[in-house]
Amino acid sequence: MIYIACNTPWTAGVREGLDADGPLGSDRKDSDVTDDIATPDASVPDFLATPSVAEVEALRQAIRAKLVYQVAGREERANARDWFQAATLATRDRIVDRWRAANDETAAQGHRRVCYLSMEFLIGRLLSDALGNLGLTETMRQALAGLGVDLEDVFAQEPDAALGNGGLGRLAACFMESMASIGIPAIGYGIRYENGLFRQLIQDGRQREVPEDWLSLGNPWEFQRSGIFYDIGFGGHVTQGPDGAMEWHPGEVVRAIAYDTPVVGWRGQWVNTLRLWSARATDPLQLEAFNKGDHIGAQADRVRAEAISRVLYPGDDTPAGQELRLRQEYFFASASLQDMIRRHLRMDGDIATLAAKNAVQLNDTHPAIGVAELMRLLVDLHGMEWERAWDIARATFSYTNHTLMPEALESWPVALMERMLPRNMQIIYLINARHLEQARAEGLIDGQLSSVSLIDEQHGRRVRMGHLAFVGSHKVNGVSALHTGLMKTTVFAELDRACPGRIVNKTNGITFRRWLMRANPGLTRLIVDTIGPRVLDDAERLEDLAPHARDASFQAAFAQQRRVAKEALAKVVQDRTGIVVDPAALFDVQIKRIHEYKRQLLNILQTVALYNAMRAQPMGNWAPRVKIFAGKAAPSYHQAKLIIRLANDVSKVINSDPTVRGLLKVAFLPNYNVTLAESIIPAADLSEQISTAGLEASGTGNMKFALNGALTIGTLDGANVEISERVGLDNIFIFGLKAAQAVAMRQDGYDARVTVAGSDDLQEVLRAISDGVFSPEEPDRYRGLVEGLLAHDSFLVTADFDSYVAAQHLVARKWERPSEWWRSAVMNTARVAWFSSDRTIREYADEIWDLPVR
Ligand code: 26V
């Protein structure tokens, strides 16, 4: 455990920073120096504490000063955005000294540091997170109230930073928070995209993408480090000097400039850095060309260079076979590794100890080119002998795989690599030659050798980035027990045999600070009132709720919290879609990226089946339901976009049918993001985790729902397996084919027509959709979709339909028995402490990074 002492006098006793890239602020004005606000009392949770008048007044004055001197605003005319800016700057001041202290401590103690390399950080809003972790939420609320400003209004001003697509990016954000909360020195490296994930509009039931511009009003969290930049080469050629040393002469150079955001841990005891790189042309002005009158041509280099950090790739399934994507990957991997080496040499002076002091985690293969890049830096620039450099690289790197979907396994054409990164490509060949030599020595033969090779010769010579990451790492991990097992039997089967023990499992987790304490303060308060505040520091204490699960008054209080969250969500639904929903109904929720394997279609089919059944018997004994969907589809993923349209079309017909009024509503909420998830999850009764078994690597939404007391309906896929083991089969609705059965069925050539022929309900559902019941203005709109499903149901939607409908039936029966429902809900919250990302990070620290932790 690497905590800095709780009673550190933050402003008074801080040593001068040893780390020049820390928040030194030598040009800091006196007016910027923070008031010394004490570390919050460790025994009192923030939202129960009463801040002192002096604390509130000090913060209020700090906000006022920020409004005047940094926002240049006037109190009487300031709008909510101005107050957000001022409040954030005042909050940031309270982090800076802690940040510096954490950097100093890391330097002084010579701790090994984690470098988390990720193309995506889906951080969402930061203000409420930072205030919560600092224990300043109440202080801020009162400070603003005294200025006539409402804290929630201020929170609402913050743009949702969507520098990621989905699970992989959100996991990176949860890990950053957990590393800061545990006190593990870490730096997250990524790209400062000017445009994050697109904003989704739903127009006439269809997804429309519009650019998102989270930086348009400035970003008060970040510090531009104008002194920290690296030049990144592309193209050109390689020569060999007389001494045999290789020299790369890039044809183009782009500059990477660092922007730092502090990541403050729980109780403000440790602060790490999120360092995002922005691309600039090395000669942005091109004055000569400009003066010659070529005003547009003079911009070309700048535009080309800066395109690298312009936009996040909005796909989360297929490698965009695009040069720009590879340029992004190399740009941020190279800048991050150069930065790591520079810092290491400054602190340690000896390149030989690089691995002892730095652990690099590759978040999927996106930064895998870093393996070749580190070799280039060590061998070509630092004159290190190959074998020593390779030992250092292997000891430094580890790699996390997040998907086995074949279309998402990155590979780059050799020809592209040779052109764009000629020296790196030579290094990849050298790595591969040694790797194949070793494999041959261990007895692998032809077919096996081609399957472990870094070069795929079958699809036009491509570099397999997963293989490069694998051979360059000392540990490779999957993200759930099932997924890790499948890694060993599918994509990495031969490599696993050649390197036994390298693949390990690290089941994902989520940060409870954001996903319980901040997202659901009402439930958190109830939990603290029931089992005491220790649970805020030790998630395992949630288990103490179990004895209360049968207690009628506790159940009622638990249900009451849900009711409050549902009323708030009902308002959001109405504001965003115009649809009125009844908070008393069962809220049945599926929110995640839209993808065929996640099977939103299965959910829609069941919705239509339920609708048909209700229409057939409107007086039947139905549990009223609200089906809630949200999620974005990759802009080029036509099938996923058609599924969004179908959900919206189904919603329109059902919501306007008086026969099912009060029984069934369907809402598709536009523009799903972290902030929206925070308001939906506490309000969900049922969590839909219904992917085709074997295809969802882990899932983390599943954990967020269970933590907040929703019951899961799900397949035995990803982390659902481990969730079901923990909450118990009485408290979860498991259905459908298991992973091995799904594989066998697909291999045997599954025929959906046979299944459909045997199910009257399914036939009726498909006929209605195909015949245009939900698209009367264009009756053929879904004919192709239904025909496709019958011809090749790749994700086994029809195969799992009956079993899913049966499970949904059990859901309804349990809902009718509130004491059973709420007992199960409480048991979910009580039994999912293990899915805290603190636990996951401790496992990484212990078994991958070799770091001392509690
Ligand atoms: C691939 C690509 C290819 C190029 C275009 C941009 C892009 C972006 C992301 C990806 C890979 C996506 C992988 C991913 O998000 N996997 C999810 O990771 C979660 C965290 O481990 C896990 O819970 C989900 O099950 C898994 O789908």
Side-chain angles (χ1 to χ4, degrees):
M1 182 67 175
I2 316 171
Y3 268 152
I4 37 183
C6 284
N7 56 358
T8 307
W10 297 109
T11 43
V14 179
R15 264 174 289 120
E16 269 315 298
L18 297 173
D19 185 356
D21 54 23
L24 284 179
S26 53
D27 56 351
R28 223 160 54 148
K29 296 182 296 299
D30 276 346
S31 59
D32 282 339
V33 176
T34 60
D35 302 295
D36 194 355
I37 290 190
T39 306
D41 177 347
S43 65
V44 186
D46 168 34
F47 34 81
L48 299 183
T50 317
S52 76
V53 174
E55 278 172 348
V56 171
E57 192 47 38
L59 186 58
R60 188 175 300 140
Q61 290 313 334
I63 297 167
R64 276 201 169 108
K66 292 295 177 192
L67 184 78
V68 174
Y69 295 105
Q70 288 200 253
V71 184
R74 282 174 193 273
E75 246 177 73
E76 61 280 13
R77 277 191 239 146
N79 60 27
R81 173 73 203 191
D82 297 334
W83 287 117
F84 161 71
Q85 201 90 357
T88 299
L89 291 167
T91 305
R92 200 180 71 167
D93 277 359
R94 278 155 176 72
I95 299 173
V96 167
D97 291 317
R98 299 158 196 251
W99 198 6
R100 179 155 53 167
N103 271 322
D104 288 353
E105 157 109 0
T106 307
Q109 303 293 320
H111 292 311
R112 194 177 197 202
R113 188 161 76 153
V114 176
C115 301
Y116 196 85
L117 265 62
S118 179
M119 282 287 268
E120 304 190 5
F121 288 93
L122 201 42
I123 50 186
R125 290 179 175 161
L126 298 182
L127 182 56
S128 71
D129 222 40
L131 288 173
N133 277 6
L134 290 166
L136 288 175
T137 312
E138 260 329 293
T139 316
M140 180 62 86
R141 192 185 305 280
Q142 295 181 23
L144 286 171
L147 296 161
V149 178
D150 179 56
L151 178 62
E152 302 300 323
D153 289 347
V154 167
F155 283 158
Q157 294 304 311
E158 183 168 7
D160 179 292
L163 309 181
N165 276 291
L168 167 148
R170 184 54 231 176
L171 186 77
C174 282
F175 278 8
M176 288 303 296
E177 200 275 351
S178 272
M179 288 190 282
S181 289
I182 294 171
I184 290 177
I187 178 160
Y189 283 115
I191 297 178
R192 182 180 175 273
Y193 302 104
E194 259 154 69
N195 296 104
L197 189 57
F198 62 87
R199 176 187 300 275
Q200 180 195 52
L201 305 179
I202 299 295
Q203 287 181 343
D204 299 327
R206 301 155 88 161
Q207 167 172 304
R208 227 193 87 200
E209 303 93 26
V210 294
E212 169 280 353
D213 56 353
W214 69 299
L215 292 172
S216 62
L217 296 172
N219 174 5
W221 287 111
E222 68 185 8
F223 292 84
Q224 182 182 348
R225 302 259 176 244
S226 43
I228 302 178
F229 59 84
Y230 299 92
D231 285 346
I232 314 298
F234 295 97
H237 64 282
V238 180
T239 56
Q240 188 163 25
D243 55 351
M246 306 304 285
E247 202 177 334
W248 176 24
H249 312 272
E252 180 194 357
V253 175
V254 176
R255 186 157 289 173
I257 299 178
Y259 285 75
D260 288 353
T261 298
V263 180
V264 58
W266 178 232
R267 297 202 187 279
Q269 296 191 45
W270 189 263
V271 183
N272 282 324
T273 303
L274 175 61
R275 174 161 291 174
L276 302 178
W277 300 107
S278 182
R280 294 275 187 292
T282 42
D283 178 11
L285 207 52
Q286 297 264 306
L287 204 55
E288 209 176 310
F290 194 88
N291 287 340
K292 279 186 188 149
D294 184 6
H295 300 158
I296 295 182
Q299 312 268 342
D301 278 8
R302 189 176 60 81
V303 171
R304 181 171 159 74
E306 295 176 7
I308 292 180
S309 54
R310 178 79 64 213
V311 62
L312 166 81
Y313 267 89
D316 67 346
D317 58 337
T318 47
Q322 304 220 1
E323 230 175 285
L324 180 57
R325 171 82 185 176
L326 182 57
R327 278 163 70 84
Q328 290 185 324
E329 294 186 357
Y330 179 68
F331 167 81
F332 106 97
S334 176
S336 309
L337 294 173
Q338 291 189 53
D339 191 51
M340 175 181 86
I341 291 175
R342 179 197 59 97
R343 180 183 177 282
H344 176 73
L345 289 178
R346 201 186 55 237
M347 307 235 287
D348 208 272
D350 183 5
I351 193 81
T353 57
L354 188 75
K357 300 292 182 183
N358 295 278
V360 176
Q361 191 68 36
L362 302 172
N363 197 25
D364 217 292
T365 54
H366 316 152
I369 188 64
V371 171
E373 178 65 2
L374 183 61
M375 289 302 286
R376 188 184 74 81
L377 296 170
L378 293 178
V379 172
D380 294 0
L381 271 66
H382 292 273
M384 195 179 278
E385 183 211 332
W386 180 277
E387 294 303 334
R388 267 186 79 207
W390 185 242
D391 288 345
I392 288 180
R394 289 262 339 274
T396 305
F397 285 115
S398 40
Y399 152 56
T400 306
N401 173 282
H402 294 270
T403 181
L404 299 174
M405 301 287 287
E407 63 271 32
L409 298 174
E410 274 191 305
S411 70
W412 294 107
V414 167
L416 173 61
M417 287 280 231
E418 277 170 344
R419 181 161 49 80
M420 191 191 293
L421 302 169
R423 179 56 184 148
N424 288 75
M425 191 61 230
Q426 288 179 349
I427 289 171
I428 290 171
Y429 279 134
L430 289 169
I431 295 171
N432 200 33
R434 284 172 159 79
H435 161 61
L436 290 178
E437 196 181 308
Q438 200 178 333
R440 211 172 283 118
E442 278 165 19
L444 270 70
I445 50 168
D446 281 359
Q448 293 163 321
L449 286 174
S450 62
S451 70
V452 299
S453 173
L454 304 190
I455 312 293
D456 176 0
E457 310 276 354
Q458 256 121 61
H459 304 90
R461 304 209 75 219
R462 301 176 75 92
V463 182
R464 294 169 165 150
M465 301 310 278
H467 284 41
L468 177 60
F470 192 109
V471 304
S473 295
H474 61 285
K475 282 278 162 26
V476 175
N477 75 284
V479 290
S480 72
L482 176 68
H483 166 68
T484 304
L486 291 170
M487 279 168 70
K488 294 184 188 175
T489 54
T490 60
V491 272
F492 296 125
E494 266 82 17
L495 281 170
D496 178 48
R497 228 166 287 142
C499 315
R502 192 172 303 184
I503 299 183
V504 294
N505 177 240
K506 295 283 156 276
T507 298
N508 283 166
I510 56 172
T511 168
F512 287 17
R513 266 84 54 185
R514 183 178 285 249
W515 295 108
L516 180 62
M517 297 186 205
R518 244 76 81 197
N520 204 343
L523 182 60
T524 307
R525 182 185 286 265
L526 172 64
I527 292 170
V528 169
D529 286 349
T530 309
I531 61 175
R534 265 181 64 203
V535 67
L536 299 172
D537 297 275
D538 176 7
E540 291 294 332
R541 294 272 53 78
L542 282 173
E543 183 64 43
D544 298 345
L545 286 175
H548 300 270
R550 287 177 189 281
D551 173 344
S553 66
F554 183 71
Q555 287 185 358
F558 199 94
Q560 177 55 25
Q561 288 310 326
R562 177 76 47 81
R563 173 77 192 204
V564 170
K566 287 168 79 170
E567 280 166 9
L569 180 60
K571 203 172 162 309
V572 172
V573 171
Q574 186 166 10
D575 288 349
R576 299 205 180 180
T577 66
I579 300 166
V580 177
V581 299
D582 177 3
L586 189 164
F587 279 16
D588 173 341
V589 181
Q590 187 170 23
I591 50 171
K592 51 184 74 236
R593 283 300 288 252
I594 310 292
H595 205 297
E596 288 164 278
Y597 86 81
K598 294 179 187 282
R599 299 200 296 192
Q600 281 90 357
L601 184 56
L602 177 59
N603 190 350
I604 297 170
L605 299 187
Q606 187 265 336
T607 304
V608 173
L610 185 61
Y611 172 59
N612 289 342
M614 284 173 168
R615 271 165 55 94
Q617 273 186 298
M619 292 316 197
N621 178 26
W622 302 106
R625 271 200 208 222
V626 180
K627 287 270 188 181
I628 294 169
F629 295 88
K632 294 176 181 175
S636 59
Y637 190 171
H638 299 294
Q639 195 68 9
K641 291 172 101 169
L642 190 60
I643 291 168
I644 291 179
R645 194 171 193 192
L646 177 59
N648 280 288
D649 279 345
V650 166
S651 154
K652 205 164 138 194
V653 170
I654 292 180
N655 297 347
S656 57
D657 185 339
T659 331
V660 297
R661 186 176 302 146
L663 296 181
L664 184 60
K665 281 276 169 77
V666 182
F668 188 100
L669 284 174
N671 202 34
Y672 180 55
N673 60 17
V674 173
T675 304
L676 188 57
E678 287 165 4
S679 68
I680 296 176
I681 291 169
D685 296 305
L686 187 66
S687 152
E688 298 269 356
Q689 309 299 335
I690 60 178
S691 50
T692 315
L695 299 185
E696 187 70 271
S698 162
T700 45
N702 46 5
M703 301 167 188
K704 293 162 197 163
F705 282 106
L707 176 63
N708 283 277
L711 308 198
T712 303
I713 181 162
T715 47
L716 283 177
D717 198 13
N720 295 354
V721 177
E722 291 151 89
I723 292 175
S724 73
E725 286 164 4
R726 286 184 164 76
V727 305
L729 288 173
D730 289 350
N731 302 312
I732 190 167
F733 303 94
I734 295 293
F735 71 93
L737 296 161
K738 298 186 180 46
Q741 294 169 319
V743 169
M745 199 170 250
R746 288 198 287 182
Q747 264 166 10
D748 296 349
Y750 167 70
D751 187 349
R753 289 177 203 276
V754 176
T755 309
V756 174
S759 164
D760 291 345
D761 288 350
L762 184 51
Q763 254 175 61
E764 194 188 333
V765 167
L766 293 178
R767 198 179 311 118
I769 294 172
S770 182
D771 289 353
V773 169
F774 302 100
S775 53
E777 65 285 14
E778 188 192 346
D780 283 345
R781 187 175 291 160
Y782 300 109
R783 198 169 291 283
L785 184 142
V786 171
E787 275 164 12
L789 195 64
L790 294 172
H792 28 252
D793 180 3
S794 319
F795 299 100
L796 303 173
V797 170
T798 56
D800 273 343
F801 179 81
D802 278 351
S803 158
Y804 178 55
V805 168
Q808 286 284 19
H809 205 67
L810 295 179
V811 169
R813 296 291 78 78
K814 196 174 193 104
W815 183 253
E816 284 160 4
R817 291 192 277 274
S819 70
E820 277 186 35
W821 184 276
W822 293 108
R823 191 186 64 77
S824 285
V826 174
M827 290 310 289
N828 269 263
T829 303
R831 292 216 175 134
V832 293
W834 190 77
F835 297 97
S836 160
S837 46
D838 296 356
R839 183 273 312 158
T840 314
I841 285 297
R842 287 199 176 91
E843 288 186 8
Y844 275 81
D846 192 30
E847 293 163 46
I848 298 182
W849 303 329
D850 193 23
L851 289 176
V853 277
R854 188 170 47 168

